[in-house]
Amino acid sequence: MDTLIEELKGKLISLLNLPDLTPETFDPDARLVGGELGIDSIDVLEMVVMVEKDYGVLINNQEVGQQVFASLRTLAVHIHEHHEHQEHRPAGKS
């Protein structure tokens, strides 16, 4: 799980263009949406697409999305639970 959290830190920093954040300073328990990071609804859509593309995990309703994107750790747990026993696919690969 720690490996997945570290992987997600790098992906989210890049995807969401968070230049003031580093993997070392990214608190996995900090609030993602509505927190200090300034993540908005467009950012959430980008994260949904990334999770589906990179991990094959669908987040297809708002209620689930609110729970999943509460923090980096909850996102990692959701991916882990729904992508268990599969290798991570490289970005852009089917």
Side-chain angles (χ1 to χ4, degrees):
M1 180 72 71
D2 288 340
T3 302
L4 179 56
I5 288 173
E6 291 305 312
E7 180 179 310
L8 286 168
K9 284 179 181 182
K11 287 183 179 198
L12 292 181
I13 289 169
S14 175
L15 178 71
L16 303 176
N17 192 23
L18 302 169
D20 296 333
L21 202 57
T22 66
E24 294 77 25
T25 61
F26 199 142
D27 179 359
D29 297 308
R31 199 165 171 75
L32 281 181
V33 179
E36 294 179 9
L37 298 177
I39 294 174
D40 62 19
S41 59
I42 300 298
D43 296 326
V44 172
L45 288 174
E46 290 179 342
M47 290 189 294
V48 167
V49 170
M50 181 272 296
V51 169
E52 183 177 344
K53 185 177 90 175
D54 292 359
Y55 301 98
V57 175
L58 296 176
I59 301 169
N60 55 9
N61 74 53
Q62 186 175 0
E63 186 175 315
V64 171
Q66 288 175 342
Q67 295 170 357
V68 170
F69 294 118
S71 71
L72 181 64
R73 190 174 307 279
T74 59
L75 175 58
V77 167
H78 183 78
I79 291 171
H80 180 75
E81 288 175 350
H82 292 86
H83 190 71
E84 205 168 345
H85 307 298
Q86 295 180 24
E87 289 294 317
H88 296 254
R89 293 181 299 174
K93 301 285 183 188
S94 296

